[in-house]
Amino acid sequence: MSHLVSQPTAQLENLTPIAAPDSSETQTPEERAEESRRIRRLQLMINMVMQVIQQDHSLPVEQASEMVADARRAALVMFPDKALAFDLIFWPRLQRLMRERYRMQ
């Protein structure tokens, strides 16, 4: 199940701003560094949520669902305009984990 926890960095690059075609060229080095920190923080948060759901066999499905919802809310606070990116990158993994862990249909 460890394959569910890993996060390819290539997918995280989808979280970079897309407001302007040359947005990566207009970002300062400090802005790029800050964005990289937020991406790493998001990756760590999602990995931790997934590990807790996978490893804590006493965790009720309601609490796991709340953790997933909280992770999505936190991700959207870090990247307000990236709901679609979250839904495409992380949501399927979290759904699959919940289905496998709680034998949901």
Side-chain angles (χ1 to χ4, degrees):
M1 279 213 159
S2 63
H3 70 282
L4 293 175
V5 177
S6 65
Q7 177 62 46
T9 351
Q11 288 182 338
L12 288 176
E13 292 172 1
N14 293 334
L15 293 174
T16 56
I18 56 172
D22 299 328
S23 65
S24 63
E25 294 173 11
T26 59
Q27 281 186 320
T28 66
E30 293 81 16
E31 290 170 331
R32 281 194 294 271
E34 173 59 28
E35 185 174 60
S36 292
R37 280 190 289 277
R38 288 185 313 179
I39 290 171
R40 284 192 306 274
R41 181 198 232 169
L42 174 61
Q43 179 181 13
L44 179 63
M45 178 186 65
I46 296 296
N47 286 343
M48 288 175 62
V49 166
M50 292 181 75
Q51 286 176 355
V52 168
I53 293 170
Q54 284 177 313
Q55 296 172 7
D56 186 352
H57 296 290
S58 66
L59 186 70
V61 66
E62 297 82 10
Q63 192 173 356
S65 295
E66 189 62 32
M67 288 176 62
V68 168
D70 289 344
R72 186 176 193 278
R73 281 191 288 275
L76 295 181
V77 167
M78 288 191 278
F79 298 95
D81 58 337
K82 298 299 180 181
L84 180 60
F86 181 91
D87 291 343
L88 292 173
I89 296 169
F90 297 112
W91 197 248
R93 290 174 165 210
L94 293 164
Q95 284 182 319
R96 182 175 60 241
L97 174 62
M98 292 292 289
R99 278 194 311 269
E100 290 174 1
R101 169 66 178 80
Y102 295 102
R103 292 173 174 64
M104 304 166 92
Q105 289 291 328

